[in-house]
Amino acid sequence: PISCALVRSPELLLLDEPTVGVDPLSRRELWDIVRRLVADRGLTVLLSTAYLDEAERCSRVIMLHQGQVLSQSSPQQIADKAAGRSFVVMPASGETARTLQARLLDRPDIVDAVPDAGRVRFVRGAVAEGSASTELHDLRADPVAPRFEDGFMMLLRAHSERGHSKPIAIPHPLARQDQEPVVRVQALAKRFGVFTAVDRISFEVRRGQIFGLLGPNGAGKTTTIRMLCGLLAPSGGE
């Protein structure tokens, strides 16, 4: 569809999550094409995406969360919201990055923490003025330049603290909570050899309810649907 749209050299290109389900190589090639069109032809591109690294490529970003606008600015302005609050830390001896990440996320002053090449990158909610680094008990964390994602997490934390964290509920005329579920899944699992594609998930769906499975490629969404449709035998659960 993108190729068809570009045949006539449009002045405006609208892209609705263009890289969902696209492999990493094709995703990079698509962005190279779009970047060249913007630079060489002056093409204007308006796109929606859930990938923060894609939003960071844009000159202006409108950030939405649960139907509300969090920010309208440049990616750098959003990154600057985490200035002085972004750090990296090496796990202690015998500790994995994932374990350290979980430990950091348990702290109320930590806004976000993600593994980063064997280390853990985290965003702190409050840092003392003039502090070049911060101590985490037995670990030393060093400051790094803030990223777009860091600023985004700061915006989400501020949004949540203002009491706007409740999800939007859209009533459906056929949905009734007192009805028996028409789909009931309990501890559903699927294994392919030693690989676990679906790991004991449980949920219920009532008539008229809009129910979605969200997750990255390989999370097991398609495998779950195939088991629900009887196209694939489960390894466990019902």
Side-chain angles (χ1 to χ4, degrees):
I2 295 178
S3 300
C4 295
L6 294 175
V7 166
R8 301 183 62 181
S9 299
E11 297 181 4
L12 172 65
L13 181 63
L14 303 177
L15 300 175
D16 182 15
E17 298 190 335
T19 58
V20 171
V22 177
D23 65 88
L25 179 59
S26 298
R27 184 178 175 214
R28 185 164 61 245
E29 291 175 344
L30 172 61
W31 274 104
D32 287 341
I33 293 172
V34 172
R35 199 162 40 234
R36 287 199 303 270
L37 289 171
V38 171
D40 299 342
R41 301 187 189 177
L43 178 66
T44 298
V45 180
L46 176 63
L47 68 98
S48 65
T49 180
Y51 298 124
L52 296 181
D53 61 319
E54 293 185 351
E56 192 172 11
R57 301 169 186 260
C58 302
S59 58
R60 188 169 180 81
V61 178
I62 301 174
M63 308 198 73
L64 302 172
H65 179 64
Q66 295 183 341
Q68 297 185 21
V69 175
L70 298 185
S71 173
Q72 299 185 56
S73 59
S74 69
Q76 186 58 53
Q77 287 175 304
I78 294 174
D80 289 343
K81 294 182 180 297
R85 299 172 182 263
S86 300
F87 299 86
V88 292
V89 61
M90 286 292 296
S93 178
E95 184 178 38
T96 67
R98 289 290 185 185
T99 302
L100 176 57
Q101 176 197 23
R103 184 152 63 94
L104 288 171
L105 289 175
D106 283 338
R107 295 177 45 147
D109 60 322
I110 301 299
V111 176
D112 189 34
V114 293
D116 184 1
R119 305 175 299 175
V120 175
R121 181 189 182 97
F122 69 92
V123 182
R124 201 168 191 180
V127 178
E129 287 292 329
S131 175
S133 64
T134 186
E135 299 292 337
L136 294 173
H137 302 297
D138 56 328
L139 301 174
R140 179 179 178 83
D142 296 314
V144 291
R147 298 188 303 199
F148 177 77
E149 181 176 350
D150 300 340
F152 173 72
M153 296 306 297
M154 293 293 297
L155 284 171
L156 277 184
R157 170 63 67 89
H159 181 76
S160 175
E161 290 176 347
R162 288 196 299 268
H164 300 304
S165 59
K166 293 182 179 179
I168 297 175
I170 303 176
H172 190 281
L174 298 179
R176 291 180 52 189
Q177 291 301 313
D178 59 345
Q179 289 181 333
E180 282 294 313
V182 292
V183 177
R184 181 184 288 112
V185 174
Q186 295 183 352
L188 188 64
K190 181 61 182 179
R191 292 178 294 275
F192 297 96
V194 297
F195 175 71
T196 300
V198 177
D199 190 11
R200 297 166 297 173
I201 64 172
S202 301
F203 59 86
E204 293 181 347
V205 185
R206 289 176 168 80
R207 184 177 303 279
Q209 184 179 8
I210 299 173
F211 188 91
L213 295 174
L214 303 179
N217 290 345
K221 302 184 299 296
T222 301
T223 302
T224 298
I225 294 296
R226 289 176 62 85
M227 286 190 288
L228 293 179
C229 294
L231 302 174
L232 193 63
S235 303
E238 58 183 18

